[in-house]
Amino acid sequence: MTDKSRKLRIGAFLQATGHHVSAWLHPDAQADAGMNLQHYKDIVQTAERGKFDLVFVADSPGGYADFKDEASFRQNAKAAHFEPVTLWSALSQVTQNIGFVATSTTTYEDPYTTARKFASLDWISGGRAGWNVVTTGADVSANFSRTEHLEHSKRYERAEEYIDVVKGLWDSYEDDAFVRDRDVGVYLDTDKFHLLNHAGSNFQVRGPLNIGRPPQGYPVIVQAGASEPGRELAARTAEVIFTANLVIEDAQEFYGDVKSRLAKYGRRREDLLVMPGIFPVLGGTEAEAEANYEQLQSLVHPEVAWGILRRHYQGADLSGYSLDDIAPPLPTETNGSKSRLKLVTDLVARERPTLRQLYRQVSTARGHLTSVGTPEQIADIIQRWFENGAADGFNIMPPILPTGITDFVDQVVPILQRRGIFREEYEGTTLRQNLGLRRPENRFAGHVPDQANRA
Ligand SMILES: Cc1cc2nc3c(=O)[nH]c(=O)nc-3n(C[C@H](O)[C@H](O)[C@H](O)COP(=O)(O)O)c2cc1C
């Protein structure tokens, strides 16, 4: 039986000019979007008008610099964009309810700085911050005075400890530690101050953090890896998972699998929300939606198409192939995203696409669900996945911005609201309240600190 009280979650997964690889060439796109604050302000306010739970930006601490792939390099509209926490701090000031999920890597940063900046974002936004914890698939070691990119399993090992340290630092002060009583001259109740004194295999961190406990206790923890260690990390620590699935059967497998891992960590199924991405290409009629899709695909320069394919084949020489040849099997191993390699490998095995069909599939949303249709048809897909154990919500991935978000808010959201599966008003003022997530206790609350815990 359908649970009527269960509400769909909606996020806007934003890439500056839109998710399509050649979005910036479209006449509706804002070509300088990556560094245009007014552009982001408009789309975030539109998402809030649509009662979205959150906005989200992906990030990597390094730019794309493949000089060999001239055309892809020259046409790379993602080359320049704002740092996410900085961007969201600014935009939290022109919104009231929507949540702000920013990506930050556990492979190239330090827990102390991460804890500090997300605590700040949570305070600045009044409890609307979320941290998308990523281990970074791309090798950006050259930016960080390192000689190599950590191996996949080591990245996850580090991420496990990293999150524990960050949460521990957020607990440095209890919620009511800052009494600021001028009459008695007490700013801080020192019984409510705790040193973490973490000594682990990757990190040694004493604490305390130099900011009070975040309004949400902890900013919402989001995770987006889906390999075996990625799923375990999410099951133990995350409250939202962003994921990519092309077909409902795979989404159901993923959904069932991660939810079933929660009990062993003492968590309930509703403590972790699963949100796949959807790239909706809308049209007033099916024919119009198809035409919009074809217009987008016509923008892809042939060399950009080959660049996409070469990246999926990890640099293999494809010069002997034409775009009309059947796609050969993909490499079996990667030190990048294992789950994305599996997704594309499964696609090639299932659909036996030509190389042209393959690049067209991934040029839209890199392996997320691409849906071309009328607003009713897009709403049908969302509802079907939501009601059949495949999703708790969706990350909307606008093909082009700003129009992609405006169209979704004006055309699809009212249908979801009429069907009673999406909110008409925000339930709360924090991201946690709107997502229906519990506020975590401070691990030290009620424990009087001993002398060893004093600085
Ligand atoms: C919706 C979504 C968003 C993601 N955003 C980022 C990102 O911003 N930065 C990044 O380095 N990886 C990002 N990833 C990749 C994952 O975080 C993860 O690092 C990658 O999939 C490798 O892990 P896996 O092998 O466990 O899948 C994203 C993945 C998904 C599904």
Side-chain angles (χ1 to χ4, degrees), residues 289-404:
E290 277 299 334
N292 289 339
Y293 174 77
E294 286 306 328
Q295 186 190 4
L296 269 174
Q297 295 293 33
S298 72
L299 301 173
V300 183
H301 186 287
E303 269 312 310
V304 170
W306 282 111
I308 293 172
L309 291 168
R310 272 194 295 273
R311 273 198 298 288
H312 280 278
Y313 285 91
Q314 296 175 30
D317 178 13
L318 297 174
S319 57
Y321 288 91
S322 94
L323 286 176
D324 294 317
D325 287 332
I326 297 290
L330 280 102
T332 50
E333 271 306 320
T334 177
N335 190 27
S337 171
K338 293 196 187 293
S339 57
R340 202 58 64 90
L341 173 64
K342 179 173 184 313
L343 181 141
V344 182
T345 301
D346 290 350
L347 163 72
V348 167
R350 186 174 62 239
E351 298 180 14
R352 305 266 299 135
T354 61
L355 284 169
R356 185 188 314 280
Q357 288 164 332
L358 179 60
Y359 94 69
R360 279 166 62 97
Q361 270 271 8
V362 290
S363 62
T364 53
R366 306 171 305 284
H368 292 263
L369 176 67
T370 295
S371 303
V372 183
T374 62
E376 289 282 345
Q377 287 172 323
I378 304 291
D380 288 348
I381 292 170
I382 290 176
Q383 186 166 7
R384 181 157 160 258
W385 284 42
F386 176 61
E387 291 180 348
N388 289 282
D392 293 310
F394 275 89
N395 254 331
I396 309 306
M397 302 169 66
I400 312 163
L401 282 168
T403 48

Side-chain angles (χ1 to χ4, degrees), residues 13 56-60 103 132-137 152 155-156 223-227 230 242-244 336-340 368 395:
F13 178 1
F56 157 57
V57 279
D59 194 54
S60 176
T103 299
N132 178 36
V133 180
V134 299
T135 56
T136 302
H152 189 270
R155 296 203 298 271
Y156 272 108
Q223 213 281 120
S227 59
F242 291 160
T243 179
S337 171
K338 293 196 187 293
S339 57
R340 202 58 64 90
H368 292 263
N395 254 331

